[in-house]
Amino acid sequence: SRAGMVLSVLVILLLSMLYEAIKMGKAMLLRRALLALPCSLSQETLAEPEAGGTGPAQGRWFRYHVSQTLFHVVQVVLGYMVMLAVMSYNAWIFLGAIAGSTLGYFL
């Protein structure tokens, strides 16, 4: 029906926008994680805390890394969902995915 198609296109549009928002959020988390890294990038410094317990920079770096991992998983799931919708070979759903991606990147 027409209402079902309109709803499907809107859902795909919103999923595409969410995909772009997560992609941008992941980039912001990467920037913050890089700023939270300690001065020395050796594995010993990251794996073993200095003689005072865990440093605040190491704790922040780990939290940012876990957040990036979760964002990546959500991004992959959304990407595959949009891909599967586009592979239905429906022109309206394809245009909804393109419009959502464009709007998500613009915002």
Side-chain angles (χ1 to χ4, degrees):
S1 71
R2 289 180 193 245
M5 181 55 71
V6 170
L7 183 63
S8 297
V9 170
L10 283 176
V11 167
I12 294 302
L13 187 131
L14 292 175
L15 285 177
S16 297
M17 287 179 68
L18 184 61
Y19 178 85
E20 289 294 330
I22 288 175
K23 189 169 73 170
M24 297 304 285
K26 206 167 98 173
M28 287 176 24
L29 274 176
L30 176 63
R31 190 174 342 148
R32 289 181 184 171
L34 289 176
L35 291 174
L37 276 175
C39 294
S40 173
L41 294 177
S42 68
Q43 289 182 349
E44 294 82 21
T45 304
L46 290 175
E48 299 175 12
E50 295 177 6
T54 59
Q58 290 172 343
R60 278 185 302 193
W61 177 83
F62 183 73
R63 281 189 299 236
Y64 287 136
H65 187 65
V66 168
S67 299
Q68 277 183 305
T69 303
L70 294 176
F71 268 101
H72 178 74
V73 168
V74 172
Q75 183 183 7
V76 167
V77 168
L78 282 174
Y80 277 115
M81 288 172 62
V82 171
M83 180 197 68
L84 285 172
V86 167
M87 293 211 43
S88 70
Y89 298 109
N90 185 316
W92 292 109
I93 289 180
F94 174 73
L95 291 175
I98 297 298
S101 180
T102 304
L103 285 173
Y105 185 81
F106 181 72
L107 297 178

